[in-house]
Amino acid sequence: MNIASIDIGTNTVLLLIAQLDTTKKTLTPLFHSYKIPRIGRSVGKTGLISTESTASLIAILTEYKKKAEDHNCSEIIANGTYPFRAAKNAAEVVAQVKAATGIAINTLAGEDEAKYSFLGAISDIQSEGTICVIDIGGGSTELITGKDAAITYRHSSPMGVVNFTEKLISDHPVTDLKLKAIRQEVSERLHNNYEIKDAVGLAVALAGTPTTLACMLLKLKEFDEEKIHRSILTLEQLESLIEEMSKLTPAEILTKYSSVVAGREDVLLMGTIFLAEIMKFLKVNEAVVSSRGLRYGALFERLK
């Protein structure tokens, strides 16, 4: 059977259509789509998903529903993350979307978001030691550890690249003094919010920040999942990119790296800081990039 899985985050709305074999417990991807409408824009400041964002979401989900119908999907699973947990008008937006598209958005708790992200990320990555999956989102960040596909720790904190950029970066370029203060705040929040006791043998980085950084380092002009998935980001590379991007405006970042950063150019510096500080927190010098995540994990959970 074919099923569509949709991940609605603060920054992105992602679609995976896959064929599930419930007998063999296998998942075969058939179609992907990737949109950056930033549904959670200003949710941290206003507490609301805006009318404009709701209209954008309805337009995207209408398009995704047509793709699901074209692939003869028997079901559409739509999971909402941070903006739906945080916004005061989330229930109203969910009702509007259901009325307009027929798609019911399930609001995931942070711990369930972490679980689905972990299941998706490790689906084709093996390690004998403890794996830590890093899922940096627009409104929240999840760290999940596990061994032999069994989760040993998971925690979600409302620190994301969109809300932290809105809160901490008002001018570009970013001065060295400001950059130091941002990094200190991110580091302190990590140490105060996460308690990872096991030594991490392998870090796996999910979502838009690491996949975009991989595109930049591989000098890709467009997103290529086969080249990005399972590529490596080193802490040294991240430090170099932080140094470079802190001295550029978002427009200059977009000009330099073209469409692979489009829609993310203003939050990419913060995302890179997050990833670098998380790697230092975990005491690892590199991370494997995974293009799989929550939308895959939701389907693997269904297979179980």
Side-chain angles (χ1 to χ4, degrees):
M1 62 179 173
N2 294 349
I3 296 183
S5 178
I6 302 172
D7 171 5
I8 307 169
T10 302
N11 212 37
T12 58
V13 182
L14 310 176
L15 168 68
L16 166 67
I17 295 175
Q19 182 182 66
L20 272 61
D21 187 322
T22 54
T23 302
K24 297 179 180 179
K25 304 297 183 183
T26 58
L27 181 157
T28 304
L30 302 175
F31 179 81
H32 302 270
S33 189
Y34 184 100
K35 306 285 186 183
I36 311 180
R38 198 166 295 179
I39 301 301
R41 185 189 303 273
S42 298
V43 166
K45 292 182 177 179
T46 67
L48 299 171
I49 297 172
S50 70
T51 301
E52 179 184 359
S53 292
T54 302
S56 295
L57 179 58
I58 288 172
I60 291 168
L61 293 183
T62 299
E63 177 185 335
Y64 283 1
K65 183 178 182 180
K66 178 65 167 58
K67 293 294 184 183
E69 291 170 347
D70 291 344
H71 285 82
N72 299 311
C73 290
S74 59
E75 186 179 355
I76 297 174
I77 300 171
N79 286 304
T81 59
Y82 172 78
F84 293 91
R85 293 194 293 267
K88 292 178 287 188
N89 64 336
E92 178 184 335
V93 172
V94 168
Q96 289 180 34
V97 168
K98 180 70 185 302
T101 68
I103 295 174
I105 297 172
N106 171 48
T107 299
L108 284 181
E111 302 306 300
D112 288 330
E113 179 180 355
K115 178 177 77 170
Y116 288 173
S117 295
F118 182 83
L119 291 174
I122 69 162
S123 59
D124 64 346
I125 293 175
Q126 301 296 321
S127 176
E128 293 183 359
T130 295
I131 297 175
C132 183
V133 172
I134 305 164
D135 187 0
I136 299 171
S140 64
T141 292
E142 287 72 46
L143 297 184
I144 317 102
T145 64
K147 192 172 183 179
D148 299 325
I151 293 175
T152 55
Y153 171 86
R154 60 186 182 219
H155 184 64
S156 175
S157 179
M159 49 184 294
V161 298
V162 172
N163 56 22
F164 263 55
T165 298
E166 292 175 348
K167 173 186 174 184
L168 298 176
I169 299 180
S170 56
D171 297 303
H172 298 274
V174 178
T175 66
D176 290 344
L177 188 62
K178 181 65 174 176
L179 184 63
K180 182 179 179 180
I182 292 170
R183 298 192 70 156
Q184 182 175 344
E185 177 156 352
V186 171
S187 178
E188 288 176 357
R189 286 285 292 270
L190 289 170
H191 283 84
N192 290 335
N193 282 280
Y194 300 93
E195 298 180 0
I196 296 178
K197 298 177 181 178
D198 297 332
V200 174
L202 178 68
V204 180
L206 286 178
T209 291
T211 56
T212 301
L213 294 174
C215 285
M216 294 162 64
L217 291 168
L218 291 168
K219 296 181 168 55
L220 301 179
K221 297 300 181 185
E222 59 184 24
F223 187 89
D224 187 329
E225 184 165 348
E226 289 189 4
K227 292 181 179 178
I228 294 164
H229 186 58
R230 299 178 67 151
S231 62
I232 303 294
L233 294 174
T234 68
L235 187 55
E236 183 179 3
Q237 288 171 326
L238 298 182
E239 295 292 355
S240 178
L241 286 170
I242 291 169
E243 176 69 16
E244 174 191 305
M245 288 190 289
S246 67
K247 292 177 169 51
L248 301 174
T249 66
E252 289 169 337
I253 293 172
L254 179 59
T255 297
K256 180 168 184 176
Y257 290 102
S258 68
S259 60
V260 295
V261 303
R264 198 176 293 279
E265 65 272 14
D266 60 330
V267 298
L268 194 55
L269 172 59
M270 186 64 72
T272 311
I273 292 170
F274 268 40
L275 185 54
E277 292 300 326
I278 290 169
M279 288 169 66
K280 289 194 289 185
F281 173 68
L282 298 175
K283 298 182 174 59
V284 297
N285 291 315
E286 64 180 37
V288 178
V289 176
S290 175
S291 61
R292 299 187 169 195
L294 189 154
R295 63 201 187 284
Y296 277 85
L299 295 184
F300 282 117
E301 181 73 2
R302 176 60 57 89
L303 278 176
K304 289 168 61 180

